[in-house]
């Protein structure tokens, strides 16, 4: 298939050595609009020859880029940020068509993606080594920070611009070259980012993009001796597989994996504010957010009021196609996610939970197409229900009461995940003790908007390793080299 036949992706394709092109054997994969279930385009399915070409281009570009001045690297990132902002209206429509994300949320994500390039432009100019006074006068000791090499970056479909931006911006700022593999469901936004980088002046081969079968591509790239580092945003299961592959070559990895973020609402919290904020954040991106608040534990004295307000807000949200004006909650991104959400709902109800909002396809939508599920609220969900142990990754909120501080902390820490967590309390002592006792990489206190370019994003336990964003984000793309010189 030629590029003219790619549909929505007609300007793009694979990006190798500075050129957009189809796969060498012409293989493609179709992309489905989650709002209509219709095919909106085709993306190339890269073969081994395509992947080897991308790796060779990245290796060649890295040799020059690693010697490029940090000021020049920073200038490229700043120009890219500006282009992304200028092109936001068009890219946002592409994102909404691919993922069903409401336009307002898509525009916000692109603003966040541009912030990543701006932030790492600054961090590029602040890569510090250090020197130490030696024990003897004729010896000099220094530590240099050098780019790790070619990076294989894998990103997910739920934030198709922000996730690759975090990886690409940090890698380029450190002096690395990149082969990026976006999710097949939503590759267009990453393609648009790569085009912005090229238009900003990125050398040919510095950023290469490949699409197609995830298992085949990840195994080929990770096993290549050219790749020095792997960065993944994906599920814990995928993370385990890539870790095993990376171990064969003893390669550096950073991974942002699954989450199942608890929310603790203590007895001194503003319950109306907590319920309102939790409900609105829960259904952002249709609940398909790794750091989404996804288990709600409320002190028994506030529980009834919290349930009532949460359900009222959930029921008030406007559901529809992402491209429709006024949509607050779009469809889920794919059929398998919708099916899993229904399985979790059925399991919770079978174990005694109460359905107090949603649970079915929203009324008022034309036809029966699209992966829609009304914002759903389950009350009195027992700890044994699957949704309390498995990440729902959908618009389903399980609620349960607790009686004391120790019980709340035990519930929060009861899963193998540790990405984000949240708590609501007016007490400085309670907030401090709880935020320190919760096992998570990020804690929001009376606030759920925790992600920002200037702060580290990542988790503990089975939610991954390493950090993206902030001053820490660039470190995973750098190696420390110790140099000892004796003056003769």
């Amino acid at each position: 298939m030629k590029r003219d036949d790619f549909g929505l992706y007609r300007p793009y394709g694979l990006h190798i050595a500075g050129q957009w092109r189809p796969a060498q054997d012409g293989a493609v994969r179709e992309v489905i609009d989650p709002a209509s279930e219709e095919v909106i385009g085709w993306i190339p399915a890269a073969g081994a020859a395509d992947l080897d070409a991308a790796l060779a281009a990245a290796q060649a570009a890295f040799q020059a880029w690693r010697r490029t001045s940090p000021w020049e690297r920073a200038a490229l990132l700043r120009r890219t940020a500006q282009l992304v902002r200028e092109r936001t209206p068009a890219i946002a429509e592409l994102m909404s068509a691919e993922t069903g994300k409401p336009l307002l949320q898509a525009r916000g994500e692109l603003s966040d993606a541009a912030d990543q390039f701006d932030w790492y432009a600054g961090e590029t100019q602040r890569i510090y080594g250090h020197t130490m006074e030696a024990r003897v006068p004729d010896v000099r000791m220094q530590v240099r920070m050098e780019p790790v090499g070619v990076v294989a970056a894998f990103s997910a479909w739920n934030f198709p611009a922000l996730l690759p931006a975090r990886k690409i911006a940090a890698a380029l700022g450190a002096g690395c070259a990149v082969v990026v593999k976006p999710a097949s469901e939503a590759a267009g936004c990453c393609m648009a980012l790569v085009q912005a980088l090229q238009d900003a002046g990125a050398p040919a081969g510095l950023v290469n993009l490949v699409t197609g079968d995830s298992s085949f591509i990840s195994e080929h790239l990770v096993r290549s001796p050219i790749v020095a580092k792997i960065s993944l945003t994906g599920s814990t299961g995928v993370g385990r597989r890539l870790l095993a592959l990376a171990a064969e070559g003893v390669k550096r990895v950073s991974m942002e994996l699954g989450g199942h973020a608890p929310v603790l609402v203590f007895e001194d919290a503003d319950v109306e504010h907590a319920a309102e904020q939790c409900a609105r954040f829960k259904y952002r991106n249709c609940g398909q957010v790794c750091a989404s608040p996804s288990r709600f534990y409320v002190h028994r004295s506030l529980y009834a009021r919290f349930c009532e307000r949460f359900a009222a807000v959930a029921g008030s949200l406007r559901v529809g196609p992402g491209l429709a004006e006024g949509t607050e909650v779009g469809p889920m991104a794919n059929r398998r996610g919708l099916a899993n959400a229904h399985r979790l709902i059925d399991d919770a109800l079978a174990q005694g939970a109460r359905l107090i909002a949603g649970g079915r396809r929203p009324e008022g939508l034309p036809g029966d197409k699209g992966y829609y599920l009304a914002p759903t609220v389950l009350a009195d969900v027992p700890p044994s229900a699957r949704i309390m142990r498995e990440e729902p990754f959908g618009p389903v909120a399980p609620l349960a009461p607790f009686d004391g501080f120790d019980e709340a902390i035990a519930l929060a820490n009861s899963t193998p995940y540790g990405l984000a967590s949240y708590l609501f309390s007016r007490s400085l002592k309670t907030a401090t003790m709880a935020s320190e006792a919760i096992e998570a990489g990020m804690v929001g206190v009376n606030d759920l908007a925790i992600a920002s370019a200037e702060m580290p994003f990542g988790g503990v336990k089975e939610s991954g390793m390493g950090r993206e964003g902030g001053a820490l984000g660039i470190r995973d793309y750098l190696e420390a080299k110790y140099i000892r010189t004796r003056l003769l």
Side-chain angles (χ1 to χ4, degrees), residues 325-470:
E325 190 68 30
T327 293
E328 295 173 285
V329 180
M332 296 189 69
N334 50 59
R335 187 182 299 277
R336 66 181 181 276
L338 179 62
N340 184 61
H342 280 294
R343 283 193 293 269
L344 293 176
I345 293 170
D346 292 344
D347 173 77
L349 294 176
Q351 298 198 48
R354 293 185 295 118
L355 180 68
I356 60 175
R360 61 187 64 85
R361 182 181 174 87
E363 297 179 358
L365 293 175
D368 60 355
K369 295 294 186 180
Y371 309 128
Y372 290 102
L373 176 62
T376 298
V377 187
L378 298 166
D380 306 340
V381 182
S384 58
R386 284 178 53 199
I387 197 168
M388 288 305 205
R389 296 175 283 110
E390 301 175 18
E391 182 180 23
F393 221 64
V396 186
L399 281 54
F402 70 84
D403 292 299
F405 181 89
D406 290 342
E407 180 189 4
I409 297 301
L411 289 168
N413 293 338
S414 63
T415 74
Y417 302 107
L419 185 59
S421 60
Y422 307 94
L423 65 94
F424 288 84
S425 174
R426 288 190 176 102
S427 165
L428 177 60
K429 179 179 179 181
T430 298
T432 300
M433 291 177 62
S435 61
E436 292 175 354
I438 291 172
E439 298 167 351
M442 301 174 287
V443 181
V445 179
N446 298 322
D447 193 358
L448 294 106
I450 59 173
S452 63
E454 61 269 28
M455 296 303 291
F457 191 99
V460 300
K461 300 197 292 186
E462 291 187 16
S463 287
M465 60 188 70
R467 293 295 182 268
E468 293 187 309

Side-chain angles (χ1 to χ4, degrees), residues 62-408:
F62 169 64
Q63 299 307 320
W65 187 246
R66 67 181 302 174
R67 295 189 295 272
T68 301
S69 158
W71 289 79
E72 291 182 51
R73 301 202 300 263
L76 171 69
L77 297 180
R78 289 195 178 93
R79 288 194 297 268
T80 302
Q82 182 60 34
L83 289 175
V84 171
R85 292 192 174 96
E86 292 173 2
R87 298 171 183 181
T88 286
I91 304 174
E93 290 191 6
L94 172 60
M95 184 187 300
S96 187
E98 290 183 313
T99 66
K101 185 173 297 191
L103 270 175
L104 186 61
Q105 295 178 27
R107 294 182 188 121
E109 179 182 339
L110 285 160
S111 176
D112 292 342
D115 284 350
Q116 295 292 327
F117 289 102
D118 265 339
W119 174 260
Y120 281 110
E123 287 302 295
T124 297
Q125 296 168 313
R126 293 188 292 270
I127 297 175
Y128 302 115
H130 64 269
T131 61
M132 290 286 290
E133 288 295 321
R135 302 185 186 191
V136 292
D138 60 345
V139 169
R140 302 292 183 266
M141 299 192 300
Q142 64 171 310
V143 175
R144 286 172 46 86
M145 303 304 293
E146 298 185 347
V148 67
V150 173
V151 175
F154 305 92
S155 67
W157 48 262
N158 57 328
F159 286 92
L162 175 59
L163 299 180
R166 280 178 177 159
K167 303 175 190 301
I168 294 170
L172 298 190
C176 300
V178 178
V179 180
V180 60
K181 196 278 177 188
S184 295
E185 293 96 330
C189 295
C190 190
M191 292 173 178
L193 292 184
V194 172
Q195 184 64 58
L197 280 156
Q198 179 170 302
D199 294 343
L206 185 63
V207 182
N208 304 272
L209 182 148
V210 294
T211 54
D213 181 81
S214 296
S215 296
F216 168 72
I217 291 175
S218 60
E219 181 167 351
H220 194 98
L221 294 182
V222 173
R223 282 187 164 154
S224 169
I226 292 174
V227 170
K229 177 191 163 49
I230 298 96
S231 176
L232 167 71
T233 300
S235 70
T236 298
V238 172
R240 290 192 185 99
R241 290 196 294 274
L242 290 194
L243 275 171
L245 288 173
E248 294 178 7
V250 195
K251 299 187 179 185
R252 296 186 63 178
V253 297
S254 57
M255 296 195 169
E256 191 256 288
L257 307 177
H260 200 352
V263 179
L264 305 181
V265 182
F266 290 97
E267 59 186 318
D268 59 356
D270 181 337
V271 65
E272 296 291 332
H273 170 77
E276 175 90 20
Q277 294 303 305
C278 285
R280 294 198 178 278
F281 268 83
K282 168 60 195 174
Y283 302 111
R284 174 173 165 259
N285 200 27
C286 206
Q288 300 165 130
V289 182
C290 54
S292 174
S294 58
R295 295 177 287 141
F296 300 85
Y297 302 108
V298 185
H299 192 272
R300 196 173 299 276
S301 64
L302 305 178
Y303 182 66
R305 291 165 60 196
F306 185 92
C307 290
E308 181 181 5
R309 182 59 184 154
F310 196 110
V313 174
S316 73
L317 299 174
R318 184 179 299 180
V319 182
L323 289 168
E325 190 68 30
T327 293
E328 295 173 285
V329 180
M332 296 189 69
N334 50 59
R335 187 182 299 277
R336 66 181 181 276
L338 179 62
N340 184 61
H342 280 294
R343 283 193 293 269
L344 293 176
I345 293 170
D346 292 344
D347 173 77
L349 294 176
Q351 298 198 48
R354 293 185 295 118
L355 180 68
I356 60 175
R360 61 187 64 85
R361 182 181 174 87
E363 297 179 358
L365 293 175
D368 60 355
K369 295 294 186 180
Y371 309 128
Y372 290 102
L373 176 62
T376 298
V377 187
L378 298 166
D380 306 340
V381 182
S384 58
R386 284 178 53 199
I387 197 168
M388 288 305 205
R389 296 175 283 110
E390 301 175 18
E391 182 180 23
F393 221 64
V396 186
L399 281 54
F402 70 84
D403 292 299
F405 181 89
D406 290 342
E407 180 189 4

